[in-house]
Amino acid sequence: LEAESIRDAMLAVSGRLDGRLFGPTSNPFRLSEDAQKRLFSGPLDGEGRRSIYTKVTIMEPPRFLATFNQPAPKIPTGRRDITTTPAQSLTLLNDPFVTSQAAYWATQLIQRPDNSLESRLQHMFSKAMSRDATSEELSRWADAARDFAASESIDVASQMTSVSLWQTMAHAMFNTKEFLYI
Protein backbone atom coordinates (compact mmCIF):
# COMPACT_ATOMS: atom_id res chain seq x y z
CA LEU A 1 0.00 0.00 0.00
CA GLU A 2 1.00 3.60 -0.38
CA ALA A 3 1.96 5.67 2.65
CA GLU A 4 -1.42 7.35 3.04
CA SER A 5 -3.29 4.06 2.64
CA ILE A 6 -1.25 2.38 5.38
CA ARG A 7 -1.95 5.24 7.77
CA ASP A 8 -5.65 5.40 6.85
CA ALA A 9 -5.99 1.61 7.16
CA MET A 10 -4.61 1.75 10.71
CA LEU A 11 -7.06 4.51 11.59
CA ALA A 12 -9.97 2.58 10.05
CA VAL A 13 -9.16 -0.76 11.67
CA SER A 14 -8.57 0.79 15.08
CA GLY A 15 -11.94 2.54 14.90
CA ARG A 16 -10.37 5.98 15.06
CA LEU A 17 -10.97 7.10 11.44
CA ASP A 18 -13.01 10.28 11.13
CA GLY A 19 -14.97 9.93 7.90
CA ARG A 20 -15.90 13.60 7.57
CA LEU A 21 -15.31 15.08 4.14
CA PHE A 22 -13.73 18.48 3.57
CA GLY A 23 -12.73 20.82 6.35
CA PRO A 24 -9.41 22.12 7.55
CA THR A 25 -6.11 20.29 7.33
CA SER A 26 -4.26 19.17 10.42
CA ASN A 27 -0.60 19.63 11.17
CA PRO A 28 1.41 16.41 11.25
CA PHE A 29 2.85 15.28 14.55
CA ARG A 30 6.35 16.68 15.04
CA LEU A 31 8.84 16.20 17.83
CA SER A 32 9.78 19.87 17.72
CA GLU A 33 8.10 22.96 16.37
CA ASP A 34 9.67 25.92 14.59
CA ALA A 35 7.41 28.97 14.49
CA GLN A 36 9.81 30.84 12.21
CA LYS A 37 9.40 28.13 9.54
CA ARG A 38 5.70 27.70 10.40
CA LEU A 39 6.28 24.08 11.41
CA PHE A 40 3.73 23.32 14.09
CA SER A 41 2.92 19.95 15.60
CA GLY A 42 -0.54 18.48 15.38
CA PRO A 43 -2.09 15.59 17.27
CA LEU A 44 -0.39 12.21 16.96
CA ASP A 45 -3.31 10.70 15.03
CA GLY A 46 -4.24 13.86 13.11
CA GLU A 47 -7.58 13.89 14.95
CA GLY A 48 -8.46 10.70 13.09
CA ARG A 49 -8.66 12.52 9.77
CA ARG A 50 -7.63 10.78 6.56
CA SER A 51 -4.09 11.37 5.34
CA ILE A 52 -5.32 13.59 2.52
CA TYR A 53 -6.13 16.18 5.21
CA THR A 54 -2.58 16.19 6.64
CA LYS A 55 -0.76 19.43 5.94
CA VAL A 56 2.39 18.92 3.86
CA THR A 57 5.13 21.51 3.96
CA ILE A 58 8.29 21.76 1.90
CA MET A 59 10.40 22.30 5.00
CA GLU A 60 9.51 19.05 6.76
CA PRO A 61 7.07 16.47 5.38
CA PRO A 62 5.23 14.15 7.79
CA ARG A 63 7.84 11.61 8.90
CA PHE A 64 5.56 8.56 8.96
CA LEU A 65 4.33 9.20 5.43
CA ALA A 66 7.81 10.08 4.13
CA THR A 67 9.18 6.77 5.46
CA PHE A 68 6.71 4.93 3.24
CA ASN A 69 7.66 6.83 0.07
CA GLN A 70 5.30 9.77 0.08
CA PRO A 71 6.77 11.95 -2.69
CA ALA A 72 8.95 14.83 -1.59
CA PRO A 73 6.91 18.04 -1.83
CA LYS A 74 9.82 19.99 -3.35
CA ILE A 75 9.76 18.36 -6.78
CA PRO A 76 7.07 17.01 -9.10
CA THR A 77 6.95 13.23 -8.96
CA GLY A 78 5.45 11.28 -11.83
CA ARG A 79 5.66 7.92 -10.11
CA ARG A 80 6.23 6.95 -6.50
CA ASP A 81 9.16 4.83 -5.49
CA ILE A 82 8.22 1.38 -4.25
CA THR A 83 10.63 0.18 -1.59
CA THR A 84 10.88 -2.15 1.35
CA THR A 85 13.47 -0.83 3.76
CA PRO A 86 14.62 -1.52 7.32
CA ALA A 87 13.47 1.99 8.27
CA GLN A 88 9.90 1.04 7.31
CA SER A 89 10.01 -2.07 9.49
CA LEU A 90 11.42 -0.11 12.41
CA THR A 91 8.75 2.55 11.94
CA LEU A 92 6.02 -0.08 12.11
CA LEU A 93 7.53 -1.41 15.32
CA ASN A 94 8.37 1.86 17.09
CA ASP A 95 6.47 4.82 15.67
CA PRO A 96 4.19 6.43 18.27
CA PHE A 97 1.36 6.65 15.71
CA VAL A 98 1.41 2.87 15.15
CA THR A 99 1.57 2.04 18.85
CA SER A 100 -1.18 4.54 19.65
CA GLN A 101 -3.49 3.03 17.03
CA ALA A 102 -2.76 -0.45 18.38
CA ALA A 103 -3.65 0.82 21.86
CA TYR A 104 -6.84 2.45 20.60
CA TRP A 105 -7.86 -0.75 18.81
CA ALA A 106 -7.09 -2.75 21.96
CA THR A 107 -9.48 -0.60 24.01
CA GLN A 108 -12.17 -1.23 21.39
CA LEU A 109 -11.48 -4.97 21.41
CA ILE A 110 -11.74 -5.47 25.17
CA GLN A 111 -15.15 -3.82 25.16
CA ARG A 112 -16.49 -6.49 22.80
CA PRO A 113 -18.48 -9.33 24.35
CA ASP A 114 -16.27 -12.04 22.78
CA ASN A 115 -16.40 -15.21 24.80
CA SER A 116 -13.24 -16.83 23.46
CA LEU A 117 -9.79 -16.02 22.21
CA GLU A 118 -10.66 -17.49 18.82
CA SER A 119 -13.79 -15.36 18.37
CA ARG A 120 -11.81 -12.21 19.20
CA LEU A 121 -9.09 -13.18 16.74
CA GLN A 122 -11.68 -13.96 14.06
CA HIS A 123 -13.10 -10.45 14.57
CA MET A 124 -9.60 -8.95 14.26
CA PHE A 125 -8.97 -10.83 11.02
CA SER A 126 -12.29 -9.71 9.63
CA LYS A 127 -11.54 -6.09 10.51
CA ALA A 128 -7.87 -5.97 9.44
CA MET A 129 -7.75 -8.40 6.53
CA SER A 130 -11.39 -8.26 5.36
CA ARG A 131 -11.63 -12.02 5.47
CA ASP A 132 -12.10 -14.88 7.90
CA ALA A 133 -9.05 -16.51 9.40
CA THR A 134 -8.37 -20.12 8.52
CA SER A 135 -8.34 -22.66 11.34
CA GLU A 136 -4.55 -22.88 11.03
CA GLU A 137 -4.21 -19.10 11.32
CA LEU A 138 -6.53 -19.01 14.32
CA SER A 139 -4.46 -21.69 15.98
CA ARG A 140 -1.18 -19.84 15.36
CA TRP A 141 -2.54 -16.47 16.50
CA ALA A 142 -4.13 -18.02 19.59
CA ASP A 143 -0.78 -19.62 20.45
CA ALA A 144 0.89 -16.24 19.95
CA ALA A 145 -1.67 -14.56 22.24
CA ARG A 146 -1.04 -17.16 24.94
CA ASP A 147 2.72 -16.70 24.55
CA PHE A 148 2.41 -12.91 24.81
CA ALA A 149 0.15 -13.30 27.86
CA ALA A 150 2.66 -15.64 29.50
CA SER A 151 5.56 -13.26 28.80
CA GLU A 152 3.56 -10.41 30.40
CA SER A 153 2.41 -12.63 33.32
CA ILE A 154 -1.26 -12.25 32.38
CA ASP A 155 -3.33 -15.11 33.78
CA VAL A 156 -5.89 -16.96 31.66
CA ALA A 157 -8.83 -15.31 33.43
CA SER A 158 -7.54 -11.81 32.57
CA GLN A 159 -6.58 -12.41 28.95
CA MET A 160 -9.81 -11.19 27.37
CA THR A 161 -9.72 -7.89 29.31
CA SER A 162 -6.00 -7.12 29.15
CA VAL A 163 -5.37 -3.94 27.16
CA SER A 164 -1.67 -4.74 27.10
CA LEU A 165 -2.19 -8.16 25.53
CA TRP A 166 -4.61 -6.90 22.88
CA GLN A 167 -2.40 -3.91 22.09
CA THR A 168 0.43 -6.35 21.42
CA MET A 169 -1.85 -8.48 19.22
CA ALA A 170 -3.13 -5.42 17.32
CA HIS A 171 0.42 -4.19 16.85
CA ALA A 172 1.43 -7.59 15.51
CA MET A 173 -1.49 -7.58 13.08
CA PHE A 174 -0.52 -4.12 11.80
CA ASN A 175 2.91 -5.58 11.03
CA THR A 176 1.72 -8.51 8.93
CA LYS A 177 2.55 -8.48 5.25
CA GLU A 178 -1.10 -9.09 4.38
CA PHE A 179 -2.09 -5.87 6.14
CA LEU A 180 0.59 -3.81 4.36
CA TYR A 181 0.46 -5.20 0.85
CA ILE A 182 -2.33 -5.35 -1.71
Side-chain angles (χ1 to χ4, degrees):
L1 294 174
E2 293 178 338
E4 297 87 352
S5 298
I6 292 171
R7 183 182 172 280
D8 291 357
M10 287 182 187
L11 287 169
V13 168
S14 72
R16 181 68 180 106
L17 184 68
D18 178 352
R20 284 182 298 141
L21 297 177
F22 312 111
T25 59
S26 64
N27 286 308
F29 176 75
R30 291 189 168 92
L31 295 176
S32 62
E33 296 183 341
D34 187 342
Q36 189 173 3
K37 294 180 183 176
R38 289 181 275 161
L39 296 176
F40 303 104
S41 183
L44 186 58
D45 67 355
E47 298 174 354
R49 300 294 310 272
R50 289 183 50 218
S51 297
I52 196 168
Y53 297 108
T54 302
K55 191 180 293 183
V56 177
T57 62
I58 292 174
M59 296 289 191
E60 184 184 338
R63 289 184 191 267
F64 181 84
L65 298 176
T67 302
F68 290 95
N69 302 322
Q70 182 188 43
K74 291 182 181 182
I75 56 173
T77 305
R79 183 183 307 228
R80 287 183 186 222
D81 292 334
I82 299 173
T83 62
T84 303
T85 66
Q88 292 169 345
S89 297
L90 290 170
T91 297
L92 290 170
L93 290 174
N94 300 312
D95 191 84
F97 170 74
V98 179
T99 56
S100 72
Q101 292 314 298
Y104 193 85
W105 192 14
T107 60
Q108 305 305 308
L109 289 169
I110 63 167
Q111 294 173 11
R112 289 181 47 81
D114 296 313
N115 56 3
S116 72
L117 195 60
E118 288 75 11
S119 67
R120 169 96 30 100
L121 290 169
Q122 191 65 262
H123 170 74
M124 290 178 76
F125 258 81
S126 176
K127 192 108 163 123
M129 313 299 186
S130 298
R131 67 172 178 85
D132 290 337
T134 65
S135 59
E136 183 180 313
E137 288 170 327
L138 278 179
S139 176
R140 277 187 291 157
W141 279 85
D143 289 344
R146 289 184 199 98
D147 289 346
F148 288 138
S151 71
E152 295 180 28
S153 303
I154 300 168
D155 61 15
V156 175
S158 302
Q159 286 180 3
M160 295 303 286
T161 58
S162 169
V163 174
S164 173
L165 172 61
W166 292 104
Q167 180 177 354
T168 302
M169 296 300 292
H171 198 174
M173 197 154 287
F174 284 156
N175 278 272
T176 61
K177 296 300 178 201
E178 187 174 351
F179 184 79
L180 299 169
Y181 289 88
I182 296 174

